[in-house]
């Protein structure tokens, strides 16, 4: 299975697909998609991200639209690539083939799960998944040197098992607010928020900490 052109990091017979979901697929999920890809490339090297595919879509996605200019600027601030991005609406096929779905809000999570396809155990809000990942002992996961795909699958199973035990301190704690139409300062704040949430996730996936 290969990624749609311009989307995935790599296409291999053995793959692990991460799907980021927001509303319009022009602000939050594009930022999260490209920051994830950038972080994986930094940790593993672009040629070593074997089988990891990172995509995004929107529950009310602007099909064929570019990402917001302010979202592009946020990615540039982090040194991440925004080129070639095209927005798309969330479809059943995206959920079916995703191994991990990370949403911006609880409402997005509910919408993904309502589509069926046994998505409940692999769909989390981004911040929810970060909270759960922080509680997982890395020593209980497969060695990334033996392959990041199996490690990623084990990470999702471990996070799903913890979900009922580690509750959010508040309902809003698992949300990433929508910056659509806001000034660049708001976009940068959301970008920092997403980056902070992604860091422990990418570390857990790869077994490699962020470069200093």
């Amino acid at each position: 299975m290969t990624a749609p052109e311009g989307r995935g990091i790599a296409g291999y017979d053995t793959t692990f697909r991460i799907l980021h979901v927001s509303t319009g697929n022009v602000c939050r999920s594009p930022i999260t998609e490209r920051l994830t890809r950038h972080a994986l490339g930094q940790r593993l090297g672009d040629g070593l991200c074997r089988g990891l595919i990172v995509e995004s879509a929107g529950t009310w996605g602007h099909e064929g639209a570019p990402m917001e200019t302010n979202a592009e600027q946020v990615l540039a601030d982090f040194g991440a690539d925004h080129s070639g991005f095209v927005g798309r609406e969330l479809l059943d096929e995206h959920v079916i083939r995703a191994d991990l779905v990370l949403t911006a809000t609880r409402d997005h999570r509910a919408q993904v799960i309502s589509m069926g396809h046994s998505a409940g155990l692999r769909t989390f809000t981004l911040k929810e998944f970060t909270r759960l990942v922080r509680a997982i002992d890395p020593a209980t996961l497969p060695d990334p040197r033996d392959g990041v795909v199996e490690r990623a699958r084990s990470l999702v199973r471990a996070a799903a098992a913890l979900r009922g035990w580690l509750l959010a301190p508040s309902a809003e704690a698992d949300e990433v607010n929508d910056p659509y139409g806001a000034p660049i300062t708001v976009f940068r704040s959301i970008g920092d928020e997403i980056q902070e949430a992604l860091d422990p996730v990418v570390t857990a996936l790869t077994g490699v900490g962020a470069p200093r």
Side-chain angles (χ1 to χ4, degrees):
M1 183 184 293
T2 57
E5 185 177 352
R7 284 277 174 180
I9 288 179
Y12 293 82
D13 291 337
T14 302
T15 59
F16 183 90
R17 288 179 180 268
I18 303 170
L19 176 66
H20 293 294
V21 175
S22 62
T23 303
N25 195 213
V26 291
C27 298
R28 288 168 292 182
S29 52
I31 291 173
T32 315
E33 173 196 318
R34 294 307 177 94
L35 286 181
T36 304
R37 292 167 65 171
H38 180 65
L40 288 171
Q42 282 187 315
R43 312 289 177 92
L44 298 177
D46 291 335
L48 296 177
C49 295
R50 291 184 176 88
L52 295 179
I53 296 171
V54 186
E55 306 175 300
S56 65
T59 54
W60 291 88
H62 299 295
E63 190 73 30
M67 73 176 77
E68 286 286 292
T69 301
N70 284 344
E72 292 184 353
Q73 183 58 57
V74 167
L75 292 174
D77 292 344
F78 284 103
D81 183 18
H82 64 74
S83 64
F85 181 85
V86 178
R88 61 183 188 171
E89 184 175 356
L90 181 67
L91 302 176
D92 288 282
E93 65 187 70
H94 303 145
V95 177
I96 289 169
R97 63 186 184 177
D99 298 286
L100 172 62
V101 183
L102 297 176
T103 69
T105 69
R106 291 167 298 144
D107 183 58
H108 297 133
R109 182 185 64 194
Q111 289 182 64
V112 171
I113 293 173
S114 73
M115 295 172 72
H117 316 302
S118 303
L121 291 178
R122 52 195 165 91
T123 303
F124 310 79
T125 75
L126 170 61
K127 288 186 174 181
E128 174 191 21
F129 194 65
T130 301
R131 173 165 44 81
L132 297 172
V133 161
R134 288 183 186 275
I136 296 170
D137 181 356
T140 64
L141 301 173
D143 191 320
R145 292 173 294 184
D146 296 329
V148 293
V149 168
E150 186 53 42
R151 182 181 176 92
R153 289 174 178 160
S154 295
L155 184 68
V156 173
R157 290 193 295 267
L162 286 174
R163 180 149 43 189
W165 297 92
L166 293 178
L167 302 179
S170 68
E172 293 73 26
D174 284 343
E175 307 269 302
V176 176
N177 292 325
D178 192 356
Y180 185 75
I184 186 61
T185 52
V186 174
F187 269 82
R188 284 186 168 129
S189 176
I190 293 297
D192 289 341
E193 196 174 321
I194 291 171
Q195 178 73 359
E196 182 179 355
L198 278 175
D199 179 64
V201 171
V202 176
T203 297
L205 283 170
T206 64
V208 181
R212 297 187 181 277

